[in-house]
Amino acid sequence: MSKVKYYYDSETLSYKKIEKKKGRKIKIFALSILGMFLSGFILLIIYLNLPSVQTPKELSLQRELHNMQLQFELLNRKMEQAQAVLSEIEERDNNLYRIYFEANPIPEEQRKAGFGGINRYKDLEGFDNSKLITNSSRNLDILTKQIVIQSRSLDEIVKLAEEKEKLLEAIPAIQPVKNKDLTRMASGYGYRTDPFTKARKFHYGMDFTAPRGTPIYATGNGRIARADNTASGYGNHIVIDHGYGYESLYAHLYKYNVKVGQKVQRGDIIGFVGSTGRSQAPHCHYEVFKDGERINPINFYYGSLTAEEFADILRKSQEENQSLD
């Protein structure tokens, strides 16, 4: 039971009982509720404005996340640098290597094809750093594919270079008789006077006059296809199959230095100057064939003559004189 309280009434000179008022109780209760609400609101404001208190584990995870972001940014920069280098290689590949070796350039759309349409990176979405991770993954995939395509292109270039080297070694590129051994360049490719009939006749080769027994050299790498005297007019002659559609013929030899089927290299001595067959004097009659057609040998001496020597032999080969066979 609550204690009964009294107060002293000076008018009546007696103690009277204190009566509690209902409205005051309600007022006190309302003020208490208001005070609690205000206290809670003030504490909330203070909490929201104070720096959050993090546990050591949260701090560690936050540092790891920040470090991961830095690593991805560094990775993207490195990929950008690699992309720039690769772009330069691709440009040289298309505009230099492939043109030189007569290969079609690789289109840009082919180098970067296969990354449109479907979303390949859906599993990486929905995270705080999804955009950063997705961009890195996409750039890495594109770079990887470009490297694979470029690697295959360079493999192709290597094969083409090897074939080109073999082709350059095979093409007849020197004179069959050295300049120092020549008496003169007797006759060139074109219409000449036949030494026997005196009629104007097309001469399909070039005649190099030299003393009997002067060495004759293979003008390009190849295989000896013929070494006999069965062809009319040529006497003892040699035919070298150089491959790639090229053949060279050396006629009127004194004797052979090779056998049929033997492989020879440019500069090897294959025989010696003579005057066998339909010949008026010791010389080497020389012809070049491409795909079975005779072509002017004058275009194939870039491997042994200076510019001045070539100009001199070109002038002499164009003189319409008398051939020696």
Side-chain angles (χ1 to χ4, degrees):
M1 294 179 61
S2 61
K3 292 181 179 182
V4 179
K5 294 182 179 181
Y6 297 88
Y7 72 96
Y8 180 75
D9 188 354
S10 59
E11 293 181 359
T12 60
L13 304 175
S14 61
Y15 289 95
K16 291 185 178 181
K17 187 178 180 180
I18 297 174
E19 299 291 341
K20 294 181 179 180
K21 297 180 180 180
K22 293 182 179 181
R24 187 177 179 184
K25 289 182 179 180
I26 294 173
K27 186 176 181 181
I28 292 171
F29 177 77
L31 288 173
S32 300
I33 295 298
L34 181 61
M36 292 172 61
F37 177 77
L38 290 174
S39 299
F41 181 75
I42 292 171
L43 289 174
L44 179 63
I45 294 297
I46 293 173
Y47 175 79
L48 292 176
N49 285 276
L50 286 175
S52 59
V53 178
Q54 295 177 318
T55 65
K57 185 175 182 179
E58 289 175 330
L59 290 172
S60 176
L61 291 174
Q62 191 175 38
R63 284 194 296 269
E64 289 181 9
L65 179 61
H66 183 65
N67 182 60
M68 182 201 72
Q69 291 172 336
L70 289 177
Q71 294 298 325
F72 268 96
E73 290 174 1
L74 289 173
L75 177 62
N76 280 330
R77 290 176 191 173
K78 290 180 180 179
M79 285 193 290
E80 288 174 0
Q81 293 173 353
Q83 180 67 55
V85 174
L86 182 60
S87 295
E88 292 180 2
I89 295 174
E90 290 174 345
E91 184 176 358
R92 288 200 298 270
D93 184 38
N94 274 350
N95 299 322
L96 181 61
Y97 307 143
R98 301 187 71 82
I99 289 178
Y100 178 77
F101 293 108
E102 301 176 355
N104 293 325
I106 299 176
E108 185 70 14
E109 55 271 18
Q110 182 178 339
R111 291 184 183 272
K112 296 183 179 179
F115 289 94
I118 62 172
N119 185 2
R120 301 171 181 272
Y121 311 101
K122 190 174 182 179
D123 294 340
L124 301 177
E125 296 177 353
F127 301 98
D128 292 340
N129 294 282
S130 291
K131 186 176 180 180
L132 179 63
I133 298 173
T134 300
N135 287 339
S136 299
S137 299
R138 181 183 294 108
N139 291 338
L140 183 60
D141 288 344
I142 293 174
L143 185 62
T144 300
K145 178 168 184 180
Q146 287 181 264
I147 290 174
V148 170
I149 292 176
Q150 185 58 54
S151 177
R152 290 175 181 170
S153 177
L154 292 177
D155 289 341
E156 182 183 355
I157 292 298
V158 169
K159 292 180 181 178
L160 291 172
E162 291 173 351
E163 287 299 314
K164 191 83 169 184
E165 184 177 3
K166 292 178 182 177
L167 170 62
L168 293 175
E169 291 175 348
I171 292 176
I174 64 173
Q175 290 183 176
V177 179
K178 292 183 178 180
N179 269 345
K180 66 181 183 65
D181 297 329
L182 287 179
T183 303
R184 66 189 178 96
M185 209 292 293
S187 182
Y189 183 92
Y191 281 98
R192 300 291 183 267
T193 302
D194 186 283
F196 299 100
T197 65
K198 306 303 179 183
R200 192 167 179 266
K201 180 181 176 183
F202 199 92
H203 188 246
Y204 287 99
M206 297 184 71
D207 293 340
F208 295 89
T209 304
R212 183 173 181 268
T214 300
I216 296 174
Y217 300 90
T219 57
N221 295 359
R223 180 184 62 84
I224 303 299
R226 294 186 62 171
D228 55 57
N229 60 0
T230 58
S232 175
Y234 287 132
N236 296 332
H237 66 283
I238 291 173
V239 174
I240 299 178
D241 182 359
H242 300 281
Y244 306 98
Y246 288 97
E247 289 182 329
S248 57
L249 179 145
Y250 314 77
H252 312 303
L253 276 62
Y254 162 59
K255 64 178 180 179
Y256 309 107
N257 196 46
V258 290
K259 297 179 180 179
V260 173
Q262 180 179 335
K263 291 184 178 180
V264 294
Q265 293 183 327
R266 180 182 294 143
D268 288 350
I269 297 176
I270 58 173
F272 302 92
V273 171
S275 188
T276 58
R278 194 174 184 273
S279 171
Q280 193 180 52
H283 74 286
C284 174
H285 174 83
Y286 177 64
E287 296 182 10
V288 175
F289 298 79
K290 178 66 171 74
D291 298 325
E293 299 291 330
R294 293 183 178 96
I295 53 179
N296 194 342
I298 194 66
N299 299 315
F300 293 86
Y301 300 141
Y302 57 84
S304 60
L305 299 179
T306 65
E308 293 76 13
E309 290 173 333
F310 180 79
D312 182 58
I313 195 174
L314 177 62
R315 178 182 56 80
K316 292 177 180 178
S317 68
Q318 291 174 340
E319 296 176 357
E320 192 168 333
N321 54 10
Q322 179 177 286
S323 65
L324 293 178
D325 48 32

